[in-house]
Amino acid sequence: MLITFVSKQSSRKNAFFGDLSLYRRKGGGKGGGGGGRSSGGTTPGRGSTTVSSGTTKFKATPYGSGGGHPSTVPPGSLFAGRKQGGGKRNQVYGTITYGSGYPDGDQSPGVKGKGFPFYFWPVVWTNVFVPYLDGSEYGTFANTARPGGPLATALFYSIDTSSVFRITSDNETVFTVFQSILLDTTCSSRLRFFERRVFNDTASQLPQPAQAVQYYRASSVVLTLDDYNNSAAMVGYPQVLHAPIPATVDMTLLDCLNRTTGESLILVNAAPGRFASPEFSFMMSFMIAIYLLRSLSERY
C-alpha cells in the first residue's frame, strides 16, 4: 500500500535523507567528529539565503509560504524554456514515488523534462539502471550548478531503535532542515546521534531509491530509511503496492522528521509587489522620465 503520513500542510508525506557532521544528543556524552557546513546557510525560521539558477538569483526562505513568481527559464540558461516558480508551502508534499510533489498535478513517475515549480532541481540517483529513476540531465550529485549547491545529506539516529533516517537535497536546503529538526524538541528528544555532510565523489554514501519513504518539493528533497527495502520503487508504476514500513521503526521520530522537513525546507516566496525584471524597470523609468520632460516643456 502507499505509505502516507499525516502532515499539518498536506495529507500526503514522503522524503529523502543524508549526513554531514556527527553529534550526540544533549546529555548523551561527547559528540563525534564534526564536519564543516556550506557557506551561506540560513538560520531556521529567520532570514533567507540566495540560490542561483543559471544567471538568475532567488531569495529562498525557511517557513515561508512560497509562491515565487511563475516564469520561464531564460534563453542561454540550463533548461531554457521550462516553466519555473509558483510552488507554495502547502504543495510541497509528494508521495513515495520519484517524480511526485509537482503542484501542477503531474504525478507521473520520473523527472525527465519536467519544470521547476519550486526552482530547485530533483535529487538524482547514482548507479541505478531503471529508466524512470534516470535524472542524469541534472548532472551528478556533486553538480555545483544545482540551485542551492551540490547534494548533501543529514542523518538522524533513533535513541530507542536501530532506525537511521536520511534527508537528502541541495546543500542549502539540508543545512536549514537539519537545524530546524535539532531545534524541534520532539525530534531532538528522539535522537541518539545526528550528522550532516556534503557528498564527495564516493557514490556509496548516497541512499538508494528503494529506501525512500517520502519525496518533497517536486522531488528535490527525499526522506529515506536505511532499514527499508521497497522493491516496488525499482518498477516505477504508481499502482504497484509498496512495502510497509518495518514494525521496528521509530514512528514518532519518522513523523517528526517528515513534518519538520515539510514546514522548514526553503522556498522562494512571492514578491510583495508585482514582479518586474531589471529591463522592465529600466523601461518604465525611461517612459516616466519622457512623460515628465514633456509635461515640463508644455508648461514652459
Side-chain angles (χ1 to χ4, degrees):
M1 64 179 178
L2 182 65
I3 300 170
T4 57
F5 304 92
V6 177
S7 166
K8 292 182 179 179
Q9 302 293 341
S10 169
S11 62
R12 294 183 300 174
K13 284 195 177 184
N14 260 264
F16 184 74
F17 179 72
D19 51 25
L20 194 152
S21 60
L22 189 62
Y23 305 88
R24 277 187 190 271
R25 183 175 66 88
K26 185 177 180 181
K30 296 180 179 178
R37 69 168 177 83
S38 67
S39 61
T42 58
T43 300
R46 308 176 197 169
S48 60
T49 187
T50 300
V51 296
S52 298
S53 178
T55 58
T56 307
K57 294 185 182 297
F58 303 97
K59 188 168 289 187
T61 307
Y63 299 99
S65 59
H69 178 72
S71 60
T72 301
V73 179
S77 300
L78 291 170
F79 311 112
R82 295 192 191 183
K83 302 298 183 181
Q84 63 180 2
K88 299 178 181 179
R89 176 74 57 184
N90 62 2
Q91 298 172 317
V92 299
Y93 283 102
T95 66
I96 200 170
T97 303
Y98 186 54
S100 64
Y102 286 79
D104 59 2
D106 182 1
Q107 301 299 317
S108 60
V111 295
K112 284 185 178 179
K114 292 186 177 182
F116 312 103
F118 298 97
Y119 298 92
F120 295 88
W121 298 356
V123 297
V124 294
W125 298 110
T126 302
N127 297 329
V128 175
F129 306 102
V130 179
Y132 96 99
L133 292 173
D134 180 15
S136 59
E137 65 180 307
Y138 305 105
T140 70
F141 52 85
N143 188 359
T144 56
R146 173 181 292 273
L151 289 181
T153 188
L155 293 86
F156 302 93
Y157 302 75
S158 169
I159 193 171
D160 290 334
T161 73
S162 61
S163 300
V164 180
F165 301 97
R166 304 172 187 256
I167 295 173
T168 303
S169 186
D170 63 273
N171 187 42
E172 291 290 349
T173 296
V174 169
F175 181 82
T176 301
V177 172
F178 180 73
Q179 292 197 57
S180 297
I181 287 169
L182 298 186
L183 289 174
D184 187 294
T185 55
T186 300
C187 291
S188 61
S189 67
R190 304 295 305 171
L191 297 177
R192 175 169 52 92
F193 291 106
F194 40 96
E195 183 180 2
R196 182 178 71 94
R197 78 165 68 103
V198 178
F199 290 122
N200 54 31
D201 58 357
T202 305
S204 61
Q205 294 178 322
L206 288 164
Q208 296 302 307
Q211 297 172 326
V213 295
Q214 178 69 49
Y215 287 93
Y216 314 81
R217 204 182 61 184
S219 291
S220 63
V221 187
V222 61
L223 172 63
T224 59
L225 170 64
D226 280 12
D227 292 336
Y228 186 48
N229 184 17
N230 178 30
S231 58
M234 308 308 291
V235 177
Y237 300 108
Q239 66 270 26
V240 173
L241 295 179
H242 294 279
I245 292 288
T248 56
V249 166
D250 185 338
M251 293 302 296
T252 300
L253 178 56
L254 175 57
D255 183 70
C256 189
L257 293 175
N258 185 43
R259 170 180 54 79
T260 307
T261 299
E263 291 174 350
S264 66
L265 55 79
I266 55 177
L267 295 179
V268 177
N269 294 327
R274 183 177 179 85
F275 175 84
S277 65
E279 295 79 6
F280 178 82
S281 299
F282 174 81
M283 182 60 70
M284 287 299 297
S285 299
F286 179 76
M287 295 299 294
I288 291 172
I290 293 296
Y291 173 78
L292 291 175
L293 287 173
R294 284 182 177 176
S295 298
L296 289 173
S297 64
E298 291 174 356
R299 289 185 181 182
Y300 299 101

